Amino acid sequence: MPTTSNYFHLHLVSDSTGETLITVARAVAAQYANVTAVEHVYPLVRSQKQLDRVLDEIEESPGIVLFTLLEKDLVGRLEAKCREINVPSLSIIGPVMQLFEAYLGAATTGRVGAQHVLNAEYFARIDALNFTMMHDDGQHVDGLEEADVVLVGVSRTSKTPTSIYLANRGIRTANVPLVPGIPLPHQLETLKKPLVVSLHATPERLIQVRQNRLLTMGDRDNETYIDKQAVADEVAFARRLSAKFNWALLDVTRRSIEETAAAVMKLYNDRQRARPSEEL
């Protein structure tokens, strides 16, 4: 049922949080610039009664149906209803599970939400997030040596959101702003354990982001913040510091937060593999 307007309904049905579905669906939908997906997200669908409500909404607003359900009875009912009303449906994890089963020669356990169990990895992520929030924007610099990664950069280089994204991957991340005229914390100059990554962008991009920020805040008097020469001087200042202390440089001009975090994680993992085991 191809859409003839500039939007379509996208139904995301999950027996867990729905995070996997949302990530996959948005990654694909982003490739279609001329149409907008109207998302209907149904998390924690684990009973026939819960599924009934979902089926009613799908019938009321037909569109693409993506799902991550493990209960075979629920899958059967959902697929049958989609065939009946002639809408496409697809299991996002089904083909992957079949591939695993074929390769491993073993059936799945069928545990709903198994990826969200309260194991050591989960608590490590919570610890990383707590650490990151405590060490945001140059706070508590005495604890920087305990970080896995320290991000530095001038204003509006996405230090905080990248830090939080990394923390959700279990990487203890701190961030410190680089401001011309304000001395660096001495702790930053002597770090041994953490990977220090300097985030930078072109002055043009920084000015654009800062202008949007000022508009959001209703601040029309901070001309220095978006002055072309002043911003160029900030960028040059950050680059000089990066060269002086041999920090890794990462250009975030055209990167999303996810892409920046992925690049930082690659730098971090490469560094961990390269270090002698006795230093880890």
Side-chain angles (χ1 to χ4, degrees):
M1 299 175 62
T3 180
T4 56
S5 62
N6 60 352
Y7 74 93
F8 67 97
H9 293 283
L10 178 59
H11 299 272
L12 308 175
V13 189
S14 175
D15 52 21
S16 188
T17 62
E19 293 175 15
T20 301
L21 271 175
I22 293 170
T23 300
V24 173
R26 288 180 180 175
V28 177
Q31 302 301 313
Y32 297 87
N34 297 325
V35 290
T36 301
V38 179
E39 292 183 358
H40 305 260
V41 183
Y42 314 96
L44 304 174
V45 177
R46 299 177 179 177
S47 70
Q48 297 287 351
K49 184 176 181 180
Q50 290 167 331
L51 183 61
D52 286 339
R53 180 179 65 85
V54 173
L55 297 179
D56 288 342
E57 293 196 22
I58 293 173
E59 188 166 16
E60 183 177 338
S61 304
I64 294 174
V65 178
L66 302 179
F67 62 91
T68 51
L69 299 174
L70 292 179
E71 173 58 51
K72 292 182 179 179
D73 288 343
L74 297 181
V75 172
R77 281 198 63 210
L78 176 60
E79 291 180 330
K81 184 65 173 181
C82 289
R83 286 194 300 269
E84 177 187 329
I85 61 177
N86 195 29
V87 299
S89 66
L90 178 68
S91 170
I92 294 301
I93 63 172
V96 180
M97 290 174 59
Q98 291 172 7
L99 180 64
F100 272 54
E101 288 183 14
Y103 183 78
L104 299 174
T108 62
T109 61
R111 287 188 300 151
V112 173
Q115 72 271 37
H116 301 296
V117 295
L118 302 183
N119 55 15
E121 181 182 352
Y122 173 84
F123 288 109
R125 291 201 308 273
I126 297 301
D127 173 70
L129 188 57
N130 288 335
F131 178 91
T132 296
M133 298 304 293
M134 285 282 292
H135 295 82
D136 180 45
D137 201 30
Q139 299 181 80
H140 304 290
V141 291
D142 289 336
L144 289 181
E145 190 63 45
E146 300 305 313
D148 297 316
V149 170
V150 177
L151 302 179
V152 298
V154 301
S155 175
R156 299 295 108 188
T157 48
S158 303
K159 297 183 297 298
T160 293
T162 302
S163 296
I164 294 172
Y165 192 100
L166 290 168
N168 276 297
R169 296 298 183 270
I171 297 177
R172 291 159 65 92
T173 309
N175 73 79
V176 179
L178 301 179
V179 184
I182 297 181
L184 285 180
H186 68 86
Q187 295 90 340
L188 185 60
E189 301 179 18
T190 58
L191 293 177
K192 301 297 182 184
K193 173 180 171 287
L195 169 69
V196 183
V197 181
S198 178
L199 306 182
H200 66 98
T202 64
E204 293 77 15
R205 176 57 177 165
L206 289 174
I207 290 170
Q208 179 186 38
V209 175
R210 291 179 181 189
Q211 286 175 330
N212 291 336
R213 173 67 171 171
L214 292 180
L215 286 173
T216 301
M217 296 175 64
D219 185 352
R220 300 180 182 275
D221 300 321
N222 199 342
E223 293 297 326
T224 303
Y225 190 56
I226 56 175
D227 177 77
K228 186 174 182 180
Q229 186 57 54
V231 175
D233 291 343
E234 284 186 62
V235 173
F237 166 74
R239 284 183 173 275
R240 288 195 299 271
L241 286 178
S242 300
K244 178 180 178 180
F245 295 107
N246 198 31
W247 295 332
L249 272 171
L250 186 60
D251 188 346
V252 302
T253 302
R254 299 183 181 279
R255 295 180 192 265
S256 65
I257 301 303
E258 295 84 355
E259 290 169 330
T260 299
V264 172
M265 285 190 284
K266 184 180 187 305
L267 290 170
Y268 175 73
N269 291 332
D270 289 347
R271 183 174 185 262
Q272 292 298 94
R273 285 192 292 268
R275 296 175 68 188
S277 58
E278 61 268 18
E279 293 183 10
L280 300 178

